[in-house]
Amino acid sequence: MTVRYETEGRIARVTIDRPARLNAVDADADTELERIWSDLESRDDISCIVLTGAGEKAFCAGADLKDTGKQGVDYWADPRPNGFGGIAFRRTLDIPVIARVNGYALGGGFEMVLGCDIVVAAETARFSLPEGRVGRMPLDGGMVMLPRKIPHNLAMGMLMTGRQVPAGELHRWGLVNEVCAPDDLDATVERWVADILACAPLSLRAIKQTVNRTAHLAPAEAQALKLPALIAALTSEDGIEGVKAFQEKRAPVWQGR
């Protein structure tokens, strides 16, 4: 198994499980990741996804250039519709995704981070888009996503040098939400998960769907767009429950409907 996919309650955990290869993604893992994201898109019982890599050394070292499956190295030259790992610029997954970055996030691995909504990283984590150093380009999200996430010069500094940037530096740039000691990584991620689960599931979907579908629009146009997830949240039982729980000074009990 190249990717572990586990669910517990309203949480899904997706783990690239190739630690001997620094969790580099080969053709089989790429196919499995796409299958997992498609499955999650069809579910209404999941409110948070945690994406990570197995072991302590790497989140994901990008494409496995030693992979000889499918079309060999040339397979990786073809951009995927949803970006690297099926997540780098996926816009149809309305569930919040947390990147749990435990080590190296290089090339496609960093592109996967760029596709996540919240990034929690160990202070030992390192991020890089080194494709230029091996005569390639970050085709599957890096070139188009990074300049949209951080200031132009900072993005170009990474893209044009391939240098590894520590988690603390990316935190100062606003790309990483929180940095912690490696031993505290799981506890920190679970705190973020708990905060997400405290929110109404339909509200979370409506928020993410609106952000993803309206980024190209002027504010007035975006505000006027009534997307399906937004309508569902506005007319939900959870919307009534949230107000009632606030008035009664208790925690809401979300039903996801």
Side-chain angles (χ1 to χ4, degrees):
M1 182 182 298
T2 57
V3 183
R4 296 200 311 269
Y5 175 31
E6 305 158 312
T7 60
E8 179 183 359
R10 300 194 68 87
I11 308 165
R13 301 182 191 277
V14 180
T15 306
I16 304 170
D17 195 8
R18 306 185 73 226
R21 299 290 303 149
L22 294 180
N23 298 316
V25 173
D26 62 1
D28 289 341
D30 187 61
T31 299
E32 182 64 8
L33 284 165
E34 183 62 45
R35 185 195 69 79
I36 290 169
W37 303 131
S38 295
D39 180 69
L40 284 164
E41 287 179 348
S42 71
R43 300 182 63 160
D44 59 9
D45 60 333
I46 300 297
S47 295
C48 182
I49 302 167
V50 178
L51 172 64
T52 193
E56 300 178 355
K57 292 184 178 180
F59 172 82
C60 173
D64 189 345
L65 297 181
K66 293 186 178 181
D67 176 37
T68 57
K70 219 164 184 179
Q71 300 175 34
V73 172
D74 288 341
Y75 171 79
W76 300 107
D78 299 324
R80 266 77 72 199
N82 292 305
F84 193 90
I87 193 69
F89 42 79
R90 195 180 200 96
R91 288 293 175 265
T92 49
L93 179 62
D94 297 328
I95 306 169
V97 183
I98 299 174
R100 174 191 175 276
V101 186
N102 48 319
Y104 292 112
L106 311 177
F110 186 29
E111 290 176 320
M112 294 180 76
V113 170
L114 292 172
C116 295
D117 304 295
I118 293 168
V119 182
V120 180
E123 59 193 8
T124 51
R126 296 291 183 271
F127 302 78
S128 177
L129 291 169
E131 285 83 352
R133 296 192 174 209
V134 293
R136 306 180 75 84
M137 291 80 66
L139 297 171
D140 290 318
M143 290 188 294
V144 297
M145 291 298 293
L146 188 60
R148 288 167 167 77
K149 295 263 188 174
I150 61 176
H152 175 84
N153 285 18
L154 297 178
M156 295 304 284
M158 290 192 71
L159 288 163
M160 295 298 188
T161 66
R163 77 179 184 93
Q164 291 186 11
V165 179
E169 192 167 346
L170 283 189
H171 181 256
R172 291 192 295 274
W173 295 355
L175 192 59
V176 172
N177 293 79
E178 186 168 354
V179 177
C180 60
D183 290 344
D184 296 332
L185 184 58
D186 285 330
T188 304
V189 169
E190 292 311 304
R191 173 163 47 78
W192 279 92
V193 169
D195 283 342
I196 289 173
L197 294 184
C199 299
L202 294 181
S203 293
L204 292 171
R205 288 175 178 269
I207 291 167
K208 181 166 179 177
Q209 189 176 101
T210 300
V211 170
N212 280 344
R213 308 293 204 284
T214 66
H216 64 293
L217 300 175
E221 293 175 311
Q223 183 69 18
L225 194 62
K226 300 300 186 285
L227 293 163
L230 180 62
I231 298 300
L234 288 172
T235 58
S236 68
E237 294 178 22
D238 280 350
I240 298 172
E241 165 64 7
V243 174
K244 185 178 179 182
F246 177 81
Q247 293 171 339
E248 296 175 356
K249 296 181 172 57
R250 62 173 174 81
V253 179
W254 306 125
Q255 301 296 326
R257 59 177 187 267

